[in-house]
Amino acid sequence: MDATLSLFPLGWQHYLLGGLFIGAGVALLFVFTGLVGGMSSVFSSTWSYLLRQPYFQQARYTGSRGWRLVYAAGLVLGALVWWLGFSDGTPLTTEVPVWALLVGGFLVGYGARLGNGCTSGHGICGLGSLQWPSLLAVLTFMATAFITANLVAGWMA
């Protein structure tokens, strides 16, 4: 089987285009507003609407939650536009069990808090602005992802 087809069964073009749009969007957000578009802060600022714990009521979350919700909505709408305009309309599915998705989501969220940011924050925004701690974070994320993927692949085989 062709290696490109096995790595990108739906083609590689939309991954490239998506990466270019995300990079351009983050760059434009920073250039025009000085704001950094990492997604873990969107998550925390959204919880500030519902949870009254002091962590979520910090000014950095309550003061930025409006634009962060618009930012997140743009990502969701961008995915919807791609699905409706550039795909055949067939919903994509996964064979990953729901419990594994939930556990993985929890671990990613916990890791983002522990690492003071998520992959998009460190990888796109942090590296783009030459933040050297972000380089360490990205290297850690990637090493952990490679090890985990290989362990899970071995476990599932």
Side-chain angles (χ1 to χ4, degrees):
M1 175 183 257
D2 179 21
T4 303
L5 186 58
S6 66
L7 289 174
F8 304 105
L10 300 176
W12 57 269
Q13 295 86 350
H14 63 278
Y15 293 103
L16 176 63
L17 190 60
L20 291 173
F21 278 139
I22 289 171
V26 167
L28 290 172
L29 178 68
F30 185 75
V31 166
F32 289 120
T33 67
L35 300 171
V36 177
M39 288 310 296
S40 63
S41 298
V42 171
F43 182 77
S44 297
S45 66
T46 302
W47 278 111
S48 74
Y49 282 113
L50 303 172
L51 302 175
R52 297 292 167 223
Q53 281 85 3
Y55 176 81
F56 294 106
Q57 295 305 311
Q58 296 177 61
R60 67 182 176 151
Y61 296 136
T62 59
S64 66
R65 60 188 177 189
W67 76 262
R68 290 185 189 279
L69 278 178
V70 172
Y71 181 68
L75 291 173
V76 172
L77 287 174
L80 181 63
V81 166
W82 176 86
W83 183 59
L84 294 174
F86 301 102
S87 75
D88 63 3
T90 304
L92 300 176
T93 61
T94 181
E95 294 183 20
V96 176
V98 172
W99 69 265
L101 293 171
L102 292 173
V103 169
F106 174 79
L107 291 173
V108 166
Y110 179 75
R113 286 294 89 211
L114 188 66
N116 199 23
C118 60
T119 310
S120 65
H122 284 296
I124 298 168
C125 304
L127 289 180
S129 60
L130 301 178
Q131 300 287 327
W132 294 113
S134 290
L135 177 61
L136 179 61
V138 169
L139 292 174
T140 302
F141 294 157
M142 295 308 293
T144 303
F146 291 143
I147 291 167
T148 302
N150 283 293
L151 287 175
V152 169
W155 177 59
M156 299 291 272

